[in-house]
Amino acid sequence: MALLFKSRGAMLLLMFNLFLVFAGIGLVIPVIPKYITMLDINGSIAGLLTASFAFTQLVFSPLAGRLSDSFGRKRVIVVGMLVFACAEIIFGLADSALLLFVSRMMGGISGALIMPAVMAYAADVTTEEERAKGMGFINASISTGYIIGPGIGGYIAEFGIRVPFYAAGVAGLVAAVITMIVLPESLQSIKKGNENNEKAGADTETKQSLFQQLRFAYREPYFISLIIVLVMSFGLANYEAIFGLFVDHKLDFTPKDIAFIFTFASIGGAVVQLTIFGWLMNRFGERMVITLCLLAAGVFVLLTLFVHQYWLIFAVTFVIFLSIDILRPAISTQMSMFAQEKQGYVAGLNSAFTSLGNIIGPIAAGMLFDVNMNFPYVVAGIILILCFGLTLFKGSQRVQRANA
């Protein structure tokens, strides 16, 4: 009973800490456009800033996972939260693009440290039967923090454009202190499995590197799903990276306006995932859901260019976020069907292609924005619609093979 209470207490603390950190990340979203305009930064630099976070996280994630195995989950989580706090405070103090890049790259390192360690900790303190539920709670705390954060940030910005960054830094420090004092180390449960870890470690040299996995991904039966993952993350990252700049320059939206749109669009996606997503998958199947969501996302990204009233912008953004929020788990479900005994390997490729989209999308969006503020959405919409066509073509090929 004491062990069960300790495990549940640790999970609750991890959820609380992740909620604080991701609320801190979310609350700066609505103020970034005004902030970088104040520092006279163009769209290309803004895109590179966003991409630098994803790139650093992708590069450091494998190292961070090994550090949590060597030094314990708690230490890595605490260090990650401290790095996050410092990154946000530096962003708030920044008066040059160089400091902004330092801050965003530190943020990527913090994400690389925190997420693998938290997931490993959850695996350490839960049974196999409880693990899926535990991971669900962790993802829910991340989503909740990210949903609430922009709304809070939009209102905090009324006290000063730099204040949300300082608030995010304080949230990270609070989470780090709470973790350091209260969270027990789960290293003991790792020690119990040392024999298995040593056997697994003996095989790591024969495993493919991340570069090799990406290079030979075209051979896999789920390669089209990986392409959809890349296009989806590219489209969403492209859309989000310059959304604030787009509505600030074109429609003169305030941080509070942007916060409202992001918050309620995200809430809509979360509600659908928690309520009718399973029914949609059972009723229409993965392929139909993926195909329709790609079409809806592409069409509504293009519609962004033709609406000018606040509530129409809100409605269009809501549909885009909703489509992506349904598309993401639908693709993951489809890929898991192909994966069979290689679930971890496929999940790693899924994450890698997502990160590639998160890197390429903002860079392309920023460069296109500097040419013409409408171009990023033209390109993102066309690519999403082309991917919709690809899924239709592949689907028709499967039907022909089945009938042959």
Side-chain angles (χ1 to χ4, degrees), residues 222 335 339 342-354:
Y222 43 81
M335 289 178 65
K342 301 165 73 175
Q343 295 290 339
Y345 174 78
V346 174
L349 276 176
N350 189 341
S351 177
F353 273 76
T354 300

Side-chain angles (χ1 to χ4, degrees), residues 184-346:
E185 177 56 68
S186 65
L187 189 61
Q188 292 302 318
S189 56
I190 300 171
K191 288 179 179 177
K192 291 177 183 177
N194 268 346
E195 292 182 6
N196 292 334
N197 288 345
E198 287 170 4
K199 291 177 182 178
D203 296 332
T204 55
E205 292 182 0
T206 64
K207 292 182 179 178
Q208 292 179 319
S209 67
L210 176 62
F211 175 75
Q212 289 174 318
Q213 291 177 23
L214 294 174
R215 181 183 174 188
F216 296 112
Y218 71 91
R219 300 175 177 175
E220 304 293 352
Y222 43 81
F223 179 63
I224 296 301
S225 296
L226 290 172
I227 294 298
I228 296 172
V229 167
L230 176 63
V231 170
M232 174 195 68
S233 57
F234 170 88
L236 185 61
N238 184 304
Y239 189 84
E240 288 183 336
I242 53 93
F243 178 80
L245 286 174
F246 180 82
V247 296
D248 175 56
H249 285 52
K250 194 169 185 176
L251 304 170
D252 199 28
F253 280 14
T254 66
K256 192 182 292 186
D257 294 330
I258 298 170
F260 182 85
I261 290 172
F262 267 83
T263 299
F264 282 92
S266 300
I267 288 173
V271 169
V272 168
Q273 284 184 338
L274 291 172
T275 53
I276 65 169
F277 174 73
W279 176 83
L280 287 172
M281 297 293 283
N282 292 330
R283 177 68 178 80
F284 300 104
E286 294 92 353
R287 191 176 72 83
M288 178 64 73
V289 170
I290 290 168
T291 302
L292 291 178
C293 285
L294 281 169
L295 178 62
V299 169
F300 277 81
V301 166
L302 292 175
L303 278 178
T304 307
L305 304 174
F306 301 101
V307 294
H308 305 287
Q309 295 179 339
Y310 180 80
W311 288 105
L312 287 175
I313 289 284
F314 170 82
V316 167
T317 306
F318 184 88
V319 174
I320 293 168
F321 275 47
L322 184 62
S323 300
I324 298 297
D325 284 339
I326 296 173
L327 185 59
R328 198 189 313 274
I331 295 172
S332 296
T333 302
Q334 186 183 65
M335 289 178 65
S336 70
M337 301 298 184
F338 286 111
Q340 297 177 357
E341 74 282 357
K342 301 165 73 175
Q343 295 290 339
Y345 174 78
V346 174

Side-chain angles (χ1 to χ4, degrees), residues 64-267:
R66 290 194 292 270
L67 287 175
S68 75
D69 289 336
S70 300
F71 298 102
R73 319 307 192 197
K74 176 178 176 177
R75 291 179 183 176
V76 174
I77 293 170
V78 170
V79 170
M81 290 176 176
L82 291 174
V83 173
F84 164 79
C86 292
E88 295 302 319
I89 291 171
I90 289 172
F91 205 100
L93 295 171
D95 57 2
S96 68
L98 177 61
L99 281 178
L100 294 181
F101 274 103
V102 170
S103 169
R104 296 310 290 160
M105 294 180 80
M106 288 178 65
I109 293 171
S110 72
L113 289 169
I114 293 169
M115 289 310 300
V118 167
M119 294 299 183
Y121 194 110
D124 293 340
V125 300
T126 55
T127 64
E128 290 185 6
E129 292 78 14
E130 297 173 328
R131 194 152 302 155
K133 188 176 181 180
M135 295 297 181
F137 283 143
I138 284 175
N139 282 303
S141 65
I142 293 170
S143 299
T144 304
Y146 200 72
I147 288 168
I148 292 174
I152 297 172
Y155 287 97
I156 293 178
E158 300 291 318
F159 300 98
I161 200 70
R162 296 177 185 266
V163 174
F165 300 99
Y166 300 143
V170 170
L173 286 173
V174 169
V177 170
I178 292 173
T179 303
M180 193 182 304
I181 295 173
V182 180
L183 189 70
E185 177 56 68
S186 65
L187 189 61
Q188 292 302 318
S189 56
I190 300 171
K191 288 179 179 177
K192 291 177 183 177
N194 268 346
E195 292 182 6
N196 292 334
N197 288 345
E198 287 170 4
K199 291 177 182 178
D203 296 332
T204 55
E205 292 182 0
T206 64
K207 292 182 179 178
Q208 292 179 319
S209 67
L210 176 62
F211 175 75
Q212 289 174 318
Q213 291 177 23
L214 294 174
R215 181 183 174 188
F216 296 112
Y218 71 91
R219 300 175 177 175
E220 304 293 352
Y222 43 81
F223 179 63
I224 296 301
S225 296
L226 290 172
I227 294 298
I228 296 172
V229 167
L230 176 63
V231 170
M232 174 195 68
S233 57
F234 170 88
L236 185 61
N238 184 304
Y239 189 84
E240 288 183 336
I242 53 93
F243 178 80
L245 286 174
F246 180 82
V247 296
D248 175 56
H249 285 52
K250 194 169 185 176
L251 304 170
D252 199 28
F253 280 14
T254 66
K256 192 182 292 186
D257 294 330
I258 298 170
F260 182 85
I261 290 172
F262 267 83
T263 299
F264 282 92
S266 300
I267 288 173

